[in-house]
Amino acid sequence: MNAIDEKRVGGVPGARHSFSPAHFYHYAPQAQSVELAGDFNHWRPYPMERRGDGWWFLQVLLGQGHHQYRFLVDGQPVLDSRAMGVVRNELNEEVSVIAVS
């Protein structure tokens, strides 16, 4: 399983910080690569794991709150059709949103 922990994304574990695993999936059977970029990893793309059924997967530990992200499919930005919503980031680009509680 591909996982990103809070140390890699700059989080600080401790009593005041609570992290939960968030599972990201994207269906792209013809893609050569799918990556995940978001505010939780400073928009630096992390590779997702290809599954045999055309789905790509990545688990990320996220702190509580709302997080912005998008997939990069063969280098092209793609919104998550299963996201909780879509907003615009600081560059006025559309990005997907996930809420962690």
Side-chain angles (χ1 to χ4, degrees):
M1 176 181 348
N2 217 357
I4 298 173
D5 65 21
E6 66 272 9
K7 292 176 190 155
R8 186 168 175 189
V9 297
V12 178
R16 295 188 346 225
H17 295 87
S18 174
F19 293 91
S20 299
H23 299 133
F24 293 89
Y25 294 91
H26 186 70
Y27 186 70
Q30 303 302 321
Q32 296 300 308
S33 70
V34 177
E35 299 170 300
L36 175 68
D39 57 7
F40 46 83
N41 64 2
H42 308 286
W43 297 100
R44 289 184 295 226
Y46 289 145
M48 297 179 72
E49 177 184 326
R50 180 194 299 260
R51 301 274 172 107
D53 58 2
W55 286 91
W56 295 74
F57 171 78
L58 183 65
Q59 177 180 299
V60 181
L61 293 177
L62 295 178
Q64 293 181 354
H66 290 84
H67 301 278
Q68 299 177 7
Y69 69 98
R70 65 181 172 192
F71 299 113
L72 295 171
V73 178
D74 293 333
Q76 298 300 311
V78 177
L79 295 175
D80 185 352
S81 62
R82 301 171 0 144
M84 298 185 80
V86 175
V87 297
R88 293 199 174 266
N89 66 12
E90 64 277 354
L91 300 176
N92 203 32
E93 303 165 321
E94 286 189 328
V95 293
S96 301
V97 175
I98 185 172
V100 177
S101 56

